[in-house]
């Protein structure tokens, strides 16, 4: 009872000083954009500044480790991306346990990948792409922003679900992969929606599907991979809100409530929509269950494709 009362009192006085919000991405990335917009609104409501601390690199591991080792008092928080759900499978040993050391607050937003091909490739549907890949095993290649990233794993999932043989070509970042696709050096790419949508609209690449569970408002004409006939195919680039494990539930609930209000505000919805991202804002427990499914899903893909980073 004393512990519960202490947590309640802590929540009533929280935050009493500025909050450090670690972002597992350099300035300007999708997680950073979401973090800055949400931090401003949350800080305004709670009456304290949420100070952004960009700690990009190592697929979000650096930022997550800092958070895991911080005091669980609500004054060090984390916003990271979908790599959080992949890293446990890609790396033999992480400097933190994704469940024992990190407390989920809410899934803020998610955007599907978009399957794009070079305009000269004679396919306009997923069915036609599969037929071409089966007719010419090993002929098609797909680019990505690097080993272990969302575009790479989406491509490996495509191979796993359809049984086709394609060659993975990793690049140093999404822009390099996009440039190679436009130049015809690669055939296709499971790109992030924000990095590809401008090229699609300009006719420099052809979009044939999205990888979300439902169609994207940014491209309502495009079917999902599951609508195109591939079962259990769903991937997204997401941004999640976390705290160190042991943070009082009352404080986690305050942060969850205010983060949900922020991400669902008309201003943020308007900002996210052109990039194909949608607000989610689930409960801490719903987010925890979803994360377990995400980690399990990617573990199967990583094992089947025999992907290792370290």
């Amino acid at each position: 009872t004393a512990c519960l009362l202490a947590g309640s009192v802590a929540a009533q006085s929280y935050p009493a000083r500025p909050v450090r919000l670690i972002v597992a991405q350099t300035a300007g990335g999708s997680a950073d954009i979401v973090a800055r917009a949400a931090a401003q609104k949350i800080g305004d409501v709670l009456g304290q500044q949420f100070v952004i601390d960009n700690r990009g690199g190592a697929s979000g591991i650096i930022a997550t480790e800092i958070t895991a080792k911080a005091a669980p008092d609500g004054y060090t928080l984390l916003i990271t991306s979908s790599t959080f759900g992949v890293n446990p499978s890609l790396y033999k040993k992480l400097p933190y346990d994704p469940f024992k050391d990190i407390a989920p607050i809410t899934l803020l937003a998610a955007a599907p990948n978009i399957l794009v091909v070079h305009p000269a490739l004679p396919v306009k549907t997923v069915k036609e792409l599969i037929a071409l890949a089966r007719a010419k095993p090993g002929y098609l290649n797909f680019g990505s922003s690097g080993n272990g990233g969302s575009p790479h794993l989406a491509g490996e999932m495509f191979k796993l679900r359809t049984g086709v043989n394609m060659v993975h070509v990793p690049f140093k970042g999404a822009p390099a992969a996009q440039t190679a696709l436009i130049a015809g050096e690669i055939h296709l790419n499971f790109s992030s929606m924000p990095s590809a949508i401008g090229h699609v609209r300009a006719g420099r690449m052809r979009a044939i599907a999205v990888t979300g569970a439902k169609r994207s408002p940014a491209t309502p004409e495009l079917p999902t991979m599951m609508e195109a006939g591939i079962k259990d195919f769903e991937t997204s680039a997401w941004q999640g809100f976390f705290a160190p494990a042991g943070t009082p539930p009352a404080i986690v609930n305050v942060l969850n409530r205010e983060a949900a209000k922020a991400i669902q505000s008309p201003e943020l919805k308007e900002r996210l929509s052109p990039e194909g991202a949608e607000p989610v804002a689930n409960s801490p427990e719903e987010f925890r269950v979803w994360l377990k499914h995400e980690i399990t899903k990617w573990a199967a893909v990583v094992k089947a494709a025999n992907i290792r980073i370290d």
Side-chain angles (χ1 to χ4, degrees):
T1 303
C3 291
L4 289 173
L5 288 173
S8 177
V9 170
Q12 289 174 14
S13 61
Y14 174 84
R17 63 179 190 270
V19 177
R20 180 189 185 191
L21 180 54
I22 299 173
V23 180
Q25 200 174 65
T26 55
S30 55
D32 180 66
I33 292 171
V34 169
R36 289 179 185 277
Q40 180 66 50
K41 286 191 167 293
I42 296 171
D44 288 346
V45 172
L46 296 182
Q48 285 289 348
Q49 185 179 9
F50 278 59
V51 182
I52 301 295
D53 182 2
N54 292 99
R55 296 297 182 102
S59 298
I61 294 173
I62 295 171
T64 306
E65 181 182 10
I66 294 171
T67 307
K69 293 179 177 179
D73 55 10
Y75 290 96
T76 300
L77 305 172
L78 170 72
I79 288 183
T80 189
S81 67
S82 42
T83 56
F84 184 92
V86 180
N87 287 339
S89 303
L90 285 179
Y91 295 89
K92 292 181 180 179
K93 188 176 181 180
L94 290 172
Y96 59 84
D97 185 292
F99 291 108
K100 293 181 180 179
D101 300 329
I102 300 291
I105 297 174
T106 190
L107 177 60
L108 290 168
N113 292 114
I114 181 170
L115 174 53
V116 289
V117 302
H118 188 272
L121 197 69
V123 299
K124 293 185 178 180
T125 65
V126 173
K127 184 177 181 180
E128 291 175 351
L129 178 61
I130 295 171
L132 178 60
R134 288 176 176 168
K136 297 182 177 182
Y139 165 71
L140 292 178
N141 53 47
F142 70 99
S144 78
S145 54
N147 287 319
S150 177
H152 176 203
L153 292 173
E156 295 295 347
M157 179 181 281
F158 181 74
K159 291 167 59 178
L160 183 64
R161 298 286 191 268
T162 62
V164 301
N165 180 12
M166 300 191 305
V167 178
H168 172 229
V169 183
F171 291 87
K172 293 183 178 180
Q178 300 288 1
T179 300
L181 179 59
I182 292 168
E185 297 171 7
I186 56 175
H187 296 110
L188 60 113
N189 187 10
F190 285 87
S191 179
S192 67
M193 181 75 76
S195 65
I197 194 66
H199 296 303
V200 170
R201 289 169 178 163
R204 291 186 287 269
M205 55 182 69
R206 178 187 301 131
I208 60 176
V210 294
T211 65
K214 59 182 181 180
R215 296 196 181 201
S216 170
T219 55
E221 74 282 3
L222 293 179
T224 67
M225 296 294 286
M226 290 186 284
E227 284 178 329
I230 304 179
K231 294 182 179 179
D232 194 26
F233 194 113
E234 188 273 323
T235 75
S236 62
W238 53 264
Q239 294 81 42
F241 195 17
F242 299 85
T247 300
I251 290 178
V252 170
N253 289 336
V254 167
L255 291 166
N256 175 273
R257 182 187 68 230
E258 298 308 327
K261 290 178 183 176
I263 202 68
Q264 292 176 335
S265 67
E267 303 97 302
L268 259 68
K269 283 186 177 181
E270 185 177 348
R271 190 167 184 177
L272 293 171
S273 182
E275 298 187 350
E278 292 188 76
V280 181
N282 51 8
S283 71
E285 185 54 35
E286 288 170 337
F287 190 21
R288 181 182 294 276
V289 171
W290 184 86
L291 281 170
K292 287 182 178 179
H293 176 267
E294 187 82 348
I295 290 173
T296 301
K297 175 180 71 178
W298 289 123
V301 175
V302 168
K303 182 178 180 180
N306 194 30
I307 305 169
R308 283 293 174 188
I309 300 299
D310 54 353

